[in-house]
Amino acid sequence: MSLLTEMVGWSCIILFSQGRSTDQLEKSDWKQLLSAAKQHASDHQKANKVMLASMTKQEKSQFAALNKQLANTNLTAFEKDSVFQSLLDLYATVAQRTKMEQTETILNQTHNRK
């Protein structure tokens, strides 16, 4: 179900970025659009799985708490933006650490080959 939801979102993003509307699409255009949207959604889900697998226990708890906050329908736009920014910061932290770990692993492998 989440893949389908992401496909709809990516379809909209692709359409709007091209400045097109649905009434301008031929049957072949729809096939291309849905294929591209499916690929984007699949890539996004894979990246999220890698990111979640790279999180520490504390980061996973923070991630769950932030998502729970976002589900609150009583949040103001400012509060939603703040929580969303906290999620982006968390992703950036994990991505930075993961890159550093990958770099260290590559350096260690290179050093051990010599």
Side-chain angles (χ1 to χ4, degrees):
M1 185 58 127
S2 65
L3 181 63
L4 178 61
T5 303
E6 284 200 45
M7 282 180 60
V8 170
W10 281 109
S11 296
C12 293
I13 290 169
I14 293 167
L15 272 177
F16 295 139
S17 70
Q18 295 174 349
R20 299 174 75 187
S21 67
T22 55
D23 60 345
Q24 296 173 318
L25 300 179
E26 301 291 330
K27 188 175 184 174
S28 62
D29 295 328
W30 276 105
K31 286 182 181 182
Q32 287 179 317
L33 173 67
L34 293 176
S35 177
K38 184 177 181 179
Q39 186 61 53
H40 281 295
S42 178
D43 291 347
H44 189 259
Q45 286 188 345
K46 287 176 190 173
N48 277 335
K49 285 180 184 178
V50 169
M51 184 67 71
L52 286 170
S54 300
M55 288 182 178
T56 65
K57 209 174 201 181
Q58 182 182 5
E59 289 166 338
K60 287 179 184 177
S61 294
Q62 182 182 2
F63 178 77
L66 290 169
N67 276 304
K68 187 175 181 180
Q69 287 177 10
L70 277 179
N72 181 351
T73 57
N74 296 322
L75 288 179
T76 66
F78 178 78
E79 290 169 326
K80 283 182 183 178
D81 287 346
S82 178
V83 173
F84 188 71
Q85 185 59 53
S86 294
L87 273 172
L88 291 177
D89 293 345
L90 176 61
Y91 270 100
T93 298
V94 174
Q96 180 66 26
R97 187 188 65 250
T98 302
K99 285 180 186 175
M100 291 172 74
E101 288 173 0
Q102 289 172 346
T103 302
E104 288 176 19
T105 301
I106 292 167
L107 288 174
N108 288 336
Q109 289 172 347
T110 306
H111 179 70
N112 290 335
R113 284 187 211 162
K114 291 181 179 179

